[in-house]
Amino acid sequence: MALPKAVKIKKDGVEIVSKVDRAQYTIHELSRAALLDTGRLLRRRMLPKAKKQPGMRRSKRPLSAFQYWCRRKETDLIIGSKHRTWYGEGQELGTNNQPNRSIIKGTTMENLADIRKIQAQYLSAVENESKALSLIKPNEEGGDDRSDS
């Protein structure tokens, strides 16, 4: 979605300019960009922990086990493991035969300060439209960042 234009209304020689749609768009897109950077950070910090696990060392695709998604409509971040990879809910939460590894939850809790910094960096840009637009990456949804691993 492109940046909405300002709405101009002329009435009785007075011009009224409304930028409400632009502001809503900017806040929404800054929130999404902040969540995507948060997902990128958490994934990068999860991988070293996961690589130390015995089953992950034997995995054919260890780097693709974790992914993140930022849903456009709900504007939320989902971090998880791909279907049919070594690391799944049984590894994260534990089962009768598997210990609780908590790589996703543990990494998130350990990095709350960094997550707050990322969120603050993006959301403080609301006041400066040019800074906000430079932080927004329009077509990015999420992924597994194989290029940076």
Side-chain angles (χ1 to χ4, degrees), residues 77-88:
L77 178 67
I78 300 171
I79 299 175
S81 59
K82 276 176 108 174
H83 182 64
R84 296 184 185 254
T85 57
W86 167 82
Y87 194 86

Side-chain angles (χ1 to χ4, degrees), residues 16 37 56 66 68 76-77 80 99 106 114 118 144:
I16 301 168
D37 271 3
M56 187 62 106
F66 298 104
Y68 59 93
D76 61 356
L77 178 67
D114 292 332
I118 290 170
D144 59 13

Side-chain angles (χ1 to χ4, degrees), residues 22-126:
R22 285 176 76 103
Q24 287 176 336
Y25 168 85
T26 304
I27 291 169
H28 184 266
E29 291 301 313
L30 282 172
S31 297
R32 283 188 65 253
L35 290 172
L36 287 169
D37 271 3
T38 300
R40 227 177 262 116
L41 169 84
L42 291 174
R43 183 178 179 278
R44 265 190 239 126
R45 297 208 175 148
M46 278 186 249
L47 288 176
K49 292 179 182 181
K51 286 179 184 178
K52 293 177 184 175
Q53 302 299 324
M56 187 62 106
R57 287 193 291 257
R58 293 187 303 269
S59 177
K60 293 179 183 176
R61 295 181 294 163
L63 299 180
S64 66
F66 298 104
Q67 290 187 323
Y68 59 93
W69 303 266
C70 182
R71 297 189 299 179
R72 187 172 290 279
K73 189 175 182 180
E74 295 84 356
T75 316
D76 61 356
L77 178 67
I78 300 171
I79 299 175
S81 59
K82 276 176 108 174
H83 182 64
R84 296 184 185 254
T85 57
W86 167 82
Y87 194 86
E89 78 177 81
Q91 298 285 333
E92 177 73 12
L93 303 174
T95 64
N96 290 341
N97 300 325
Q98 284 289 336
N100 176 348
R101 300 191 197 278
S102 291
I103 294 175
I104 297 171
K105 180 182 177 185
T107 304
T108 302
M109 298 309 285
E110 291 166 7
N111 291 287
L112 286 177
D114 292 332
I115 292 168
R116 286 186 182 112
K117 285 179 190 174
I118 290 170
Q119 300 288 321
Q121 171 195 355
Y122 280 90
L123 298 178
S124 67
V126 168

